[in-house]
Amino acid sequence: MPDSVRPRRRRWLAAAVFAVALYVVLRAAGLFGGDDSAGTPPPTKASTSAPTPSSGASGTPVPSPSATTVYDPAAYAAQVRTRARQTAVSPQLLMAILYNEAYKPHDPAFERAWQKYKPDAAFGIANMHRATFDEVKLGRDFADRGWDELPDDRDLAIEAEAWYLHDLAARLPDRLPAAYSRNDLLALGYNTGAGNMLAFAHGAAPGSQARSYLDRLHANWAKAGKAVGAG
């Protein structure tokens, strides 16, 4: 390396080190803002407790849920009651499932970033997968809506959830096992699919994850009833 280059390189390295040190000091002092929305999200539960990654599959950071986006299923009690009436589904069941599905942050930006990392992820406050939504919407008044609209339209998410439960109910046999109520089986169907629901309805035992989902439903049942004004 020519002698004339060495002093310039030393000066550049010194400036770079100083800039990094200054950034660290100012960031620690809070001068770069307190909400690092493009940083690592806090740990969240996924089904049982799957960790949330700090970056997507391409290395792009997954944004944290917005601190201003606070989600409480009870805030959507009016929509739940309306959709329950339309679909002849128990509003308490509809609400209890929303509580079950509230294990992860329901922030639109977060959901979309997570979906890029995990393409088979579910969307919306009712955590519905694309294939399920596309099947449920057929012949319904939201047939022209897209699955990718679910994170932004919570009423649409509730409507799709209600009609899916309606469709599951139509597949249940008239005689049910004593171990499970109709609502239990519908919740299991929502979580595991129609095929498994029918197996449970004919005496099959749920696995540990399905059993855990049902236990959470029972734990949320009274709270859901209070939210929708069920007697």
Side-chain angles (χ1 to χ4, degrees), residues 178-198:
Y180 305 108
S181 70
R182 184 180 182 82
N183 286 330
D184 285 346
L185 289 168
L186 290 175
L188 287 171
Y190 193 88
N191 179 241
T192 67
N196 286 317
M197 177 191 72
L198 292 176

Side-chain angles (χ1 to χ4, degrees), residues 8 33 48 55 65 81 83 97 108 111 122-123 132 150 166 179 189 212:
R8 289 200 300 272
T48 50
S55 62
R81 287 191 293 266
R83 300 308 181 183
I97 287 177
E111 287 194 39
F123 264 177
T132 302
L150 290 176
H166 170 276
S212 174

Side-chain angles (χ1 to χ4, degrees), residues 108-163:
F110 178 87
E111 287 194 39
R112 289 192 170 90
W114 177 252
Q115 194 268 341
K116 289 179 181 178
Y117 175 82
K118 187 178 180 183
D120 64 343
F123 264 177
I125 58 175
N127 284 333
M128 185 167 285
H129 291 278
R130 185 193 297 269
T132 302
F133 180 80
D134 287 345
E135 179 181 345
V136 168
K137 74 177 185 178
L138 294 176
R140 306 260 155 78
D141 63 3
F142 57 100
D144 62 340
R145 304 294 298 276
W147 170 78
D148 56 357
E149 297 178 63
L150 290 176
D152 303 294
D153 191 334
R154 291 177 172 179
D155 181 54
L156 176 63
I158 294 168
E159 184 177 16
E161 175 200 1
W163 279 113

